[in-house]
């Protein structure tokens, strides 16, 4: 709080973060969203795969919520889809175990780190992008996906709540397998 009050200007990357700074530290912030080269995603050639796929992108840690997508893949409504998990991190082994437990390991591809040149096409080729993190200050992966023209399912938490009102964004309040599989319309 002391450092924030001494700052000439406090910057937040989203309205959600601005509200958090006000609530937690009683300081006002100016919102300057993260930048995004929209044309890089808008003009991407969709990656081609044998079957339609769902996509998650990000560091593999528990709070990112990828486990909810893996569990939802077992829902019969998603039987035609594969899941591509782009990213690396310490939670990968647990995610692989969950895929085994749910009987969907053959439909989940752990792509690891995806090169910046490939990423726009991966977004553009996905049927749906999912971001089920418990907290994000901005939601850059959602911005990238929407720029690529791919609809998103996001958890109504943190700054992801701000994205659900945008075209292509669908919010779910609880990441149950049924809610994830139906985009919250169950």
């Amino acid at each position: 709080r002391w450092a924030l009050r001494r700052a000439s200007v406090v910057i937040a990357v989203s309205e959600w973060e601005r509200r958090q700074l006000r609530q937690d530290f009683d300081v006002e912030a100016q919102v300057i969203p993260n930048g995004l080269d929209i044309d890089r995603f808008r003009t991407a050639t969709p990656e081609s795969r044998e079957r339609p796929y769902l996509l998650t992108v990000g560091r593999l840690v528990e709070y990112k919520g990828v486990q909810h997508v893996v569990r939802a893949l077992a829902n019969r409504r998603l039987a035609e889809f594969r899941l591509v998990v782009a990213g690396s991190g310490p939670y990968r082994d647990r995610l692989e175990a969950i895929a085994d437990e749910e009987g969907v390991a053959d439909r989940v591809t752990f792509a690891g780190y995806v090169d910046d040149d490939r990423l726009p096409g991966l977004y553009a080729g996905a049927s749906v992008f999912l971001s089920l993190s418990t907290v994000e200050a901005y939601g850059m992966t959602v911005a990238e996906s929407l720029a690529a023209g791919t609809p998103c399912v996001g958890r109504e938490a943190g700054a992801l709540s701000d994205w659900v009102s945008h075209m292509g964004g669908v919010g779910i309040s609880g990441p149950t397998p049924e809610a994830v599989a139906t985009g919250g319309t169950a």
Side-chain angles (χ1 to χ4, degrees), residues 27 36 42 64 66 68 74 76 80 87 99 151 162 168 175 181:
V27 297
L36 177 65
R42 185 178 49 83
K64 292 287 191 174
V66 176
H68 304 301
R76 73 182 194 298
E80 71 179 289
D162 293 341

Side-chain angles (χ1 to χ4, degrees), residues 75-173:
N75 186 297
R76 73 182 194 298
R77 294 176 194 231
L78 299 179
E80 71 179 289
F81 294 96
R82 293 195 176 274
L83 171 62
V84 176
V85 179
S88 59
Y91 201 55
R92 179 176 173 160
D93 290 344
R94 180 65 189 127
L95 291 171
E96 289 175 342
I98 292 168
D100 282 336
E101 292 163 11
E102 296 294 331
V104 297
D106 62 327
R107 293 174 41 220
V108 180
T109 299
F110 289 94
Y113 171 79
V114 173
D115 186 83
D116 284 344
D117 292 337
R118 180 180 170 209
L119 194 56
L122 195 59
Y123 279 117
S127 296
V128 175
F129 175 77
L130 296 104
S131 182
L132 303 179
S133 180
T134 56
V135 63
E136 294 293 331
Y138 180 74
M140 183 59 104
T141 58
V142 175
E144 291 171 343
S145 183
L146 291 173
T150 301
C152 299
V153 172
R155 188 171 187 167
E156 292 176 343
L160 296 179
S161 298
D162 293 341
W163 286 106
V164 300
S165 63
H166 286 66
M167 181 185 289
V170 173
I172 59 171
S173 58

